[in-house]
Amino acid sequence: LDLFQAAALTTTLSSLLKLSATATLSSTSGPYSASNCVDGDLGEFGRNICHSNTESNPSLTLDLGSAKQIAYVAVYNRRDCCRDRLGRYTVSLRLGSSDAWTLCSEETAGRDAFEPLLSTCPQLAQYVRVQLPGDDRTLVLTEVEVYRATVVLVAVAKRSAALALAAALALTLTAAALA
C-alpha cells in the first residue's frame, strides 16, 4: 500500500477538507442540472440529482476555481433507482482548461452501489471529471465531492516537537538546579 491508500483505509471523509466547485454536465436531461451534484444535498430520493441525456461518454466536470492538491474524489450514486447505470466510470483530472485529462482512476460500481464510491487521486488539479465511457450511457448521480487532506498530521508533528523541546528544556533546567 502507498501512503494515500493506507490513509484511505483509516481516514474518514469527515476528517478531510471538502473543496467547493461549480459543475457542468455534457448534456442535461430535464431539470436535473449539474449544480445538483455539487450542492451538498444527499437527501430527497430522485429529486436532487444531476442527469445527462443518453449519449456517448457522458460526463460531469467540476471546476475547483483554482489549482488544489486533491486527495480523494467521492461519487454518490443515485439513491432511489437506476443505480446500475453508473457501472464502469473514470475519474480524471487536469490542471488547466486546455490541458489533457489525466486518468486518476477507473472504477466499476456494483449494480446496487450506494455511497460514497471513493477514488484516491493525489494530484494537483483545478478540474475533475467523472465520465461513463462508451455509447448509449446515461450519467445520473446524487453528488460528487472532492477532498484534500487536512494538515492535521503537520500540526501533530509540530505539537510533538514542541513538547519534546519543552521536556528537554525542563530536564536541562532541573539538571542545572541540581548541580
Side-chain angles (χ1 to χ4, degrees), residues 53-98:
N53 293 319
T54 300
E55 61 185 326
S56 295
N57 307 308
S59 63
L60 176 72
T61 301
L62 279 57
D63 181 347
L64 303 174
S66 63
K68 306 277 194 294
Q69 184 61 46
I70 294 171
Y72 307 100
V73 175
V75 174
Y76 292 80
N77 201 4
R78 185 172 178 169
R79 302 172 76 184
D80 61 332
C81 78
C82 318
R83 286 182 271 176
D84 60 325
R85 287 183 179 171
L86 183 55
R88 189 170 67 91
Y89 69 98
T90 61
V91 176
S92 300
L93 308 172
R94 70 178 175 188
L95 195 52
S97 60
S98 60

Side-chain angles (χ1 to χ4, degrees), residues 4-5 7-8 11 13 16-17 19 64 68-74 91 93 104 118-125 128 145-150:
F4 279 98
Q5 289 171 329
T11 304
L13 291 179
L16 300 172
L17 179 62
L19 301 172
L64 303 174
K68 306 277 194 294
Q69 184 61 46
I70 294 171
Y72 307 100
V73 175
V91 176
L93 308 172
C104 166
L118 195 62
S119 297
T120 304
C121 297
Q123 288 181 265
L124 183 67
V128 177
E145 297 174 334
V146 180
Y147 292 89
R148 70 175 176 186
T150 58

Side-chain angles (χ1 to χ4, degrees), residues 151-165:
V151 292
V152 171
L153 295 179
V154 173
V156 168
K158 285 183 179 180
R159 182 171 183 250
S160 296
L163 291 174
L165 181 60

Side-chain angles (χ1 to χ4, degrees), residues 21-28 32-38 50-52 55 58-64 94 101 127-131 139 141 144:
T22 58
T24 307
L25 274 166
S26 53
S27 64
T28 303
Y32 306 113
S33 69
S35 63
N36 289 344
C37 276
V38 292
C50 61
H51 194 308
S52 76
E55 61 185 326
S59 63
L60 176 72
T61 301
L62 279 57
D63 181 347
L64 303 174
R94 70 178 175 188
W101 288 102
Y127 301 94
V128 177
R129 180 178 69 187
V130 176
Q131 185 172 45
L139 181 66
L141 299 172
V144 175

